[in-house]
Amino acid sequence: MKKIIELIQREFKLFFNNSVLMMLFIGAPILYGVLIGHVYQQGKVTEMPIIVVDEDNSPLSATFVDMMNDNESIKVVRMLPSLFDSKEIAIEHDATVIVHIPKGFAAGVQQKRVPEVTIFVDGSNTLTSNTAAMAVNVCAMTLKAGVQIETQMKQGVPAKIAAEQYEPFKTTMVRQNIRSGNYLYFMLPGVLIIVLQQVLLLGLALSFSSEFENGTFVELAQRMRNPVGLIFVKIIPYLLMSIGILVLYWGFGKWYEMPLHADFWWFVLCTFVFMLAVCFIGVLVSIVLPSQLKATEILMVIATPAFILSGFTWPSSLMPTWVQLIADIIPSTHYLRIFRVMFIQHGENYHTYSGLIAMAIIAAVCFIVATVVLAMKIRKVTRR
């Protein structure tokens, strides 16, 4: 036991002597947490700038413009008399939607000629353009309802009956899982989980490869010939330091007022298995590739596309089968699904069984292979 404690202390010294690794492991979670948190702090898209081209200049078109200004999602930043240069002006104001109200709009409505209002949507940013376009469409539908009800009332139909004829049934939208529509609750945890995976992989990429390059592996193998003990000596410091990162993430949740509630101990179990799977992948690559540079490069190739492949932002069922297979060998894919079920969808624990089992299999396979390869290398150097 004394020897294990001495070796763990040795690992901490190696970590703190590497200023670059220490800065990445400690600084990256803080930097990404503050950066992503402030990017999405507002939570939902509001007051998106739009351009209105009003060629009619009638009371009805003015009412339509007022309705759009009253919508919290959009804000009319420029009124133009024609479509000339409207695209360039929209680019200047970062507007994703141009609403064109044609000449004779009010007269056409009164004479039932069905005039056409054109909405030009810039699809370069899906989130913002969809939000702005939906807001304009809601205003247009509301105006249509008002015009139709008023027309029927002028024809002698009572207001109550006119409203019922226009709206034979009502629809109610209930927001589930993210009731406030807050994008911060969706984005920040996902990015921070990926950051935790990356810093663990980066740190453990150097665990054994640095020993091989510096020629200290022989000394280490002589002090402990048990491959299982050596592997845990390498990962225990990172597991302990990861607790600090998780506490930091909890602090970010409090700071940004994110109401995340779930079964605490079950989530701790899932998190522990996730970190074991990540650590064993890092250790395996570090043992197989004795070069620090090569080990780091391989693990960064695995970690960099993890967020995209995880299915957190784009349904994995829509990805090709071979891409899904690659995603399934990355621990964060399963952990992000568990996080979504527990914290966003508020599902029961049994919904997370498949993800937990997958991470356990990844951890077990990588641990067994790493143990076998490390045992062969220990035997080789001790014989010499």
Side-chain angles (χ1 to χ4, degrees):
M1 189 64 185
K2 182 179 178 181
K3 185 183 293 185
I4 293 176
I5 294 175
E6 289 177 353
L7 289 174
I8 290 176
Q9 290 175 344
R10 176 179 178 273
E11 290 303 317
F12 274 113
K13 288 179 182 178
L14 290 174
F15 173 82
F16 287 109
N17 287 335
N18 190 329
S19 58
V20 175
L21 180 58
M22 186 173 64
M23 183 64 67
L24 288 172
F25 195 90
I26 298 175
I30 298 174
L31 175 63
Y32 277 97
V34 174
L35 185 64
I36 301 299
H38 279 75
V39 167
Y40 297 104
Q41 189 169 18
Q42 186 174 340
K44 53 185 178 181
V45 180
T46 59
E47 296 189 350
M48 288 300 304
I50 67 170
I51 304 293
V52 175
V53 178
D54 188 359
E55 296 181 347
D56 192 46
N57 292 317
S58 63
L60 185 61
S61 65
T63 300
F64 188 22
V65 174
D66 290 339
M67 291 174 66
M68 288 186 284
N69 272 324
D70 290 338
N71 191 297
E72 67 168 0
S73 299
I74 53 178
K75 179 181 180 181
V76 179
V77 293
R78 282 288 297 272
M79 295 285 298
L80 302 177
S82 69
L83 284 171
F84 181 74
D85 280 345
S86 60
K87 183 178 179 180
E88 285 71 20
I89 295 173
I91 294 174
E92 290 175 8
H93 290 274
D94 226 4
T96 57
V97 171
I98 301 172
V99 182
H100 176 223
I101 304 174
K103 189 174 183 180
F105 170 68
V109 170
Q110 293 173 358
Q111 299 171 15
K112 297 184 179 181
R113 292 202 304 262
V114 193
E116 182 178 4
V117 173
T118 307
I119 304 173
F120 299 94
V121 181
D122 178 6
S124 58
N125 188 315
T126 305
L127 174 66
T128 55
S129 61
N130 284 351
T131 300
M134 288 174 63
V136 172
N137 190 53
V138 167
C139 295
M141 295 297 292
T142 305
L143 182 63
K144 289 179 185 178
V147 170
Q148 186 169 343
I149 292 171
E150 185 179 357
T151 300
Q152 291 185 354
M153 288 173 61
K154 288 180 179 180
Q155 295 174 353
V157 179
K160 183 178 180 180
I161 297 176
E164 290 175 351
Q165 287 181 351
Y166 171 75
E167 188 178 19
F169 65 91
K170 293 184 177 181
T171 57
T172 302
M173 180 180 294
V174 179
R175 290 185 177 271
Q176 294 182 325
N177 305 325
I178 307 180
R179 293 184 180 275
S180 64
N182 197 319
Y183 203 65
L184 176 68
Y185 301 164
F186 167 77
M187 199 66 186
L188 181 62
V191 172
L192 293 184
I193 288 169
I194 296 298
V195 170
L196 175 59
Q197 177 176 263
Q198 285 182 326
V199 295
L200 283 173
L201 289 176
L202 183 61
L204 288 162
L206 310 178
S207 58
F208 283 100
S209 58
S210 62
E211 303 277 5
F212 295 136
E213 282 194 350
N214 297 331
T216 57
F217 180 71
V218 176
E219 175 197 349
L220 182 64
Q222 289 175 345
R223 297 181 66 178
M224 177 172 284
R225 297 189 179 187
N226 185 348
V228 174
L230 268 185
I231 289 174
F232 278 98
V233 162
K234 288 292 184 181
I235 70 171
I236 284 175
Y238 290 94
L239 290 175
L240 293 176
M241 290 186 291
S242 296
I243 296 174
I245 294 178
L246 293 173
V247 172
L248 174 67
Y249 287 177
W250 176 82
F252 281 138
K254 290 294 184 181
W255 176 263
Y256 294 115
E257 300 179 353
M258 297 169 58
L260 302 175
H261 305 289
D263 186 337
F264 175 76
W265 292 112
W266 184 258
F267 181 66
V268 168
L269 173 63
C270 295
T271 302
F272 180 69
V273 175
F274 164 69
M275 290 193 298
L276 281 181
V278 175
C279 288
F280 289 146
I281 290 176
V283 166
L284 174 60
V285 173
S286 185
I287 294 172
V288 173
L289 299 176
S291 166
Q292 296 183 64
L293 179 60
K294 289 181 179 179
T296 304
E297 288 175 346
I298 292 297
L299 289 175
M300 286 300 99
V301 167
I302 296 173
T304 302
F307 191 60
I308 299 172
L309 299 179
S310 66
F312 198 70
T313 57
W314 182 259
S316 56
S317 59
L318 301 181
M319 301 178 189
T321 304
W322 65 272
V323 176
Q324 296 181 40
L325 293 174
I326 294 175
D328 286 340
I329 63 175
I330 303 176
S332 59
T333 299
H334 308 286
Y335 188 63
L336 284 171
R337 290 172 184 169
I338 290 173
F339 181 88
R340 184 198 296 273
V341 170
M342 294 187 69
F343 287 97
I344 299 179
Q345 297 176 329
H346 301 291
E348 298 295 332
N349 290 344
Y350 66 84
H351 291 299
T352 64
Y353 288 171
S354 60
L356 183 60
I357 292 171
M359 291 191 299
I361 292 173
I362 294 172
V365 171
C366 291
F367 172 69
I368 292 171
V369 176
T371 302
V372 172
V373 176
L374 183 59
M376 294 170 62
K377 293 201 172 189
I378 291 174
R379 184 179 301 175
K380 184 178 180 180
V381 297
T382 51
R383 281 181 178 178
R384 289 180 181 176

